[in-house]
Amino acid sequence: MKKKHLIHTIILTLLALITLLPMLFMISNSFMSAKEAVNRYTDLVTPYNVWASEGNIHYYEVDVLPSYLSFETYVKAMNPTYLRMFWNSVLITVPILLGQLIISPLAAYGFEFITWKYKELLFFLYIIVMLLPIQLLLVPHYIAANLLHLNDTWWAIIIPAAFSPFGTFLLRQHLKGLDTTILDAARVEGENEWNVFRKVALPAMYPSLVALFALTFVECWNIVDQSIVFIKDVFNEPLSVYLARMVTAEPGKIFAAATIYMIPAILIFMLTNEYLIKGINLATGVQS
Amino acid sequence: MKRRVLISVLVSFFLLIGLITLVVVRKEQDKLPLVELDLPRTDFLSINYEKEAMETYLDEMTDTFVSLFQFDKDEYSYLFPVGEKVSLEIQERSETGLVQEIRHEAAYDEVLVSFKSSLSDEGIKNAKVLAKFDFTSNSLDRLIPLEYVHFDDVPPYVFLLRREKGPWGYEYYVEHVSLTDYISDGQYLYPQNLEIKHPIISSCDEPLWDGLKVRIYP
């Protein structure tokens, strides 16, 4: 039994290391100088990487550690364009998060506890929309944004994302496990529906709300497709799109730029880690 | 406790990025050369010009006198288009001539002006023939004050200021514009085939060149 446990531990540790390797590689390589990054990871043949060339073939010299420690790329990455894109990402993510955290609990409560005609049919449509790939939804979103003159503005991304059905689905699944007698008790005590939602259902949804917050943050922070379709002005693009541009335009800075970009997501994950698992478990019925 | 620390770190991270943004954007602006601007003026162009003929001879075929004026390339030969009337002064007598032909040579332009005169053939040959040009334009709206024009190169040039959208608002770039075809009256320069879409850079403490990023007085 002990031996089996040890084997499991070794296999899982190895898998965890494989998963973490790209991130570790990125962080460690962010401490190399811009020149070294260019010499190692681009096709450009320079006097410093000519040994890695054979005829027309140029090899990348992948290494986990830089030749010498440097913070140069961090300083260089913090240029006005990068910083603008960073704040673009923040300004796109925050309204989506606020929208999701306001709309989803209300919609979930309405679907679960309020009786109205066709609610199951509408919820079924919600699920259908949720299951469709985002690339498919971009076409109707684009047409709607065009009609509303929202193209080339962040609102074209923010509005559909704030009304994303995933949050409603997640929270409704959580509410399904909630003991309705608590809600009835509140009603008997004379509380109106808004107070029942605010004082009973909302606190009960807290773990799932935190999970929704974390998942929505990661999704919005890494938004790419919507931005490519809706945003024409390069200076309005989020950092996720700009990073892809940096790979070819400024390869020396890419590791540092990506490391800074990753920090908020890691901090949010660390902050919500406990509730993330609990919230998803509650919503999926693993834990009642 | 752990959550409080993490929230503090998260908030501090965003505050730090905010502070870095302020410093970087400000620093980036401060290191740019500062320029002053002016707009093209709307005014009249007034040119009084005299040119002495190189030689005058009698064209026996047409029985008219022909004066040959030689203009350097940067002179006003374009003020005498073919078919235009020209005021001439021949031995303190006023005559009217007609521009017959313009010959473009490598180093200069030759303008041939024909006229009739009661003077004798010999008299004309020794006379001083002056072509006079008194020109006051209509109101022109693309006049560049001569002090903003740089004559240290051929053709002369002027620096304009182009505006482009940048990550933190508008960015300003120098545009070098050569002035190949122009009229000047000593005060203004009027570019003939050039549309001036941007303001003119009137002064800058540092050397300028095409594409240089600069900042302006607010």
Side-chain angles (χ1 to χ4, degrees):
Chain A
M1 189 65 188
K2 228 179 180 181
K3 200 178 171 185
K4 203 176 172 187
H5 182 72
L6 185 70
I7 291 166
H8 282 172
T9 309
I10 291 168
I11 291 170
L12 287 174
T13 308
L14 278 173
L15 285 173
L17 274 175
I18 291 167
T19 314
L20 284 174
L21 195 64
M23 202 169 87
L24 295 173
F25 173 77
M26 183 184 71
I27 294 169
S28 67
N29 279 261
S30 70
F31 294 107
M32 65 173 54
S33 67
K35 251 186 183 174
E36 192 182 346
V38 170
N39 289 335
R40 279 176 184 272
Y41 304 119
T42 65
D43 292 330
L44 197 72
V45 179
T46 71
Y48 303 96
N49 68 8
V50 74
W51 305 281
S53 299
E54 270 181 34
N56 291 331
I57 303 167
H58 179 64
Y59 300 103
Y60 289 178
E61 293 184 291
V62 179
D63 205 340
V64 177
L65 293 172
S67 300
Y68 60 90
L69 203 67
S70 164
F71 290 91
E72 178 205 341
T73 51
Y74 279 95
V75 176
K76 280 188 173 174
M78 292 285 190
N79 59 52
T81 310
Y82 179 86
L83 291 164
R84 164 74 198 242
M85 304 304 179
F86 179 90
W87 290 111
N88 286 352
S89 281
V90 172
L91 292 173
I92 291 171
T93 306
V94 170
I96 295 174
L97 280 173
L98 286 174
Q100 275 278 299
L101 294 178
I102 292 168
I103 295 157
S104 299
L106 287 167
Y109 185 84
F111 274 121
E112 189 55 30
F113 297 121
I114 312 284
T115 312
W116 46 287
K117 217 177 170 183
Y118 307 124
K119 79 169 182 180
E120 290 309 325
L121 177 70
L122 190 65
F123 193 70
F124 176 71
L125 288 173
Y126 252 63
I127 292 170
I128 297 282
V129 171
M130 191 180 77
L131 293 176
L132 289 173
I134 185 70
Q135 290 79 4
L136 204 69
L137 292 170
L138 284 176
V139 178
H141 285 176
Y142 184 86
I143 294 166
N146 219 8
L147 287 171
L148 296 168
H149 303 288
L150 293 177
N151 266 341
D152 207 16
T153 69
W154 290 334
W155 293 111
I157 299 173
I158 292 168
I159 293 171
F163 287 90
S164 163
F166 173 71
T168 309
F169 171 77
L170 185 82
L171 296 178
R172 191 189 179 190
Q173 294 310 107
H174 183 171
L175 288 177
K176 276 185 193 295
L178 193 69
D179 191 354
T180 50
T181 53
I182 308 168
L183 304 176
D184 292 337
R187 287 188 191 109
V188 168
E189 287 294 319
E191 298 290 358
N192 60 26
E193 207 60 43
W194 168 246
N195 280 342
V196 173
F197 166 75
R198 195 169 59 87
K199 291 179 181 169
V200 183
L202 200 59
M205 278 190 268
Y206 186 71
S208 292
L209 273 174
V210 175
L212 177 67
F213 170 80
L215 294 172
T216 309
F217 177 85
V218 172
E219 196 187 324
C220 300
W221 194 246
N222 297 327
I223 212 159
V224 173
D225 298 325
Q226 292 94 320
S227 170
I228 290 170
V229 172
F230 296 119
I231 307 292
K232 303 279 176 290
D233 184 349
V234 284
F235 295 119
N236 281 338
E237 283 176 350
L239 192 52
S240 44
V241 176
Y242 180 64
L243 278 181
R245 252 188 250 288
M246 273 184 97
V247 174
T248 47
E250 301 164 286
K253 303 174 197 167
I254 187 65
F255 293 115
T259 304
I260 298 165
Y261 171 72
M262 196 179 63
I263 291 172
I266 288 180
L267 286 173
I268 296 273
F269 173 73
M270 287 168 74
L271 194 62
T272 58
N273 179 24
E274 186 190 330
Y275 287 104
L276 188 66
I277 297 158
K278 198 176 169 186
I280 293 171
N281 282 347
L282 281 168
T284 50
V286 174
Q287 187 184 335
S288 67
Chain B
M1 183 64 187
K2 184 190 157 200
R3 198 184 307 164
R4 271 191 195 169
V5 172
L6 282 169
I7 291 172
S8 307
V9 172
L10 189 66
V11 172
S12 307
F13 173 78
F14 282 106
L15 286 176
L16 182 69
I17 296 283
L19 192 68
I20 291 170
T21 308
L22 287 176
V23 172
V24 168
V25 173
R26 179 78 207 191
K27 216 173 132 189
E28 188 84 3
Q29 273 292 309
D30 285 350
K31 69 182 182 191
L32 298 175
L34 195 61
V35 297
E36 283 184 69
L37 302 176
D38 203 346
L39 288 171
R41 308 274 168 82
T42 301
D43 207 339
F44 300 96
L45 208 62
S46 180
I47 300 171
N48 302 308
Y49 185 72
E50 277 185 5
K51 183 80 185 173
E52 191 180 336
M54 293 279 291
E55 61 169 306
T56 303
Y57 56 87
L58 179 69
D59 184 355
E60 288 175 350
M61 295 274 283
T62 54
D63 196 26
T64 53
F65 293 104
V66 177
S67 286
L68 188 147
F69 297 89
Q70 202 176 71
F71 290 89
D72 290 339
K73 284 287 179 189
D74 59 343
E75 278 192 290
Y76 298 98
S77 62
Y78 52 79
L79 293 178
F80 302 92
V82 175
E84 279 292 302
K85 284 184 180 170
V86 182
S87 297
L88 299 171
E89 192 182 291
I90 306 155
Q91 288 188 333
E92 294 176 359
R93 289 167 63 179
S94 292
E95 300 281 356
T96 303
L98 195 71
V99 179
Q100 235 182 13
E101 189 186 345
I102 298 177
R103 296 177 193 151
H104 297 286
E105 303 296 334
Y108 52 84
D109 293 332
E110 282 181 347
V111 177
L112 300 176
V113 178
S114 65
F115 61 94
K116 287 192 183 290
S117 176
S118 54
L119 288 170
S120 67
D121 186 12
E122 276 307 303
I124 282 289
K125 272 181 189 168
N126 300 321
K128 186 178 170 187
V129 179
L130 287 173
K132 287 189 157 187
F133 190 80
D134 293 324
F135 169 77
T136 301
S137 71
N138 296 326
S139 178
L140 299 171
D141 59 356
R142 288 183 282 132
L143 297 174
I144 304 170
L146 222 52
E147 67 216 71
Y148 305 152
V149 181
H150 301 260
F151 289 96
D152 54 329
D153 200 0
V154 179
Y157 58 93
V158 68
F159 287 122
L160 304 182
L161 193 76
R162 191 178 75 239
R163 191 173 80 161
E164 281 178 17
K165 207 175 170 201
W168 293 96
Y170 286 109
E171 289 178 346
Y172 299 92
Y173 294 90
V174 173
E175 195 173 293
H176 176 289
V177 176
S178 296
L179 304 163
T180 48
D181 203 1
Y182 60 86
I183 309 171
S184 173
D185 67 349
Q187 189 189 1
Y188 296 121
L189 185 144
Y190 179 68
Q192 287 193 306
N193 299 315
L194 183 73
E195 199 180 333
I196 298 180
K197 292 175 188 164
H198 308 296
I200 307 160
I201 296 176
S202 58
S203 72
C204 179
D205 294 339
E206 292 172 47
L208 299 174
W209 61 87
D210 194 45
L212 178 72
K213 196 167 152 185
V214 292
R215 66 191 163 115
I216 55 170
Y217 277 118

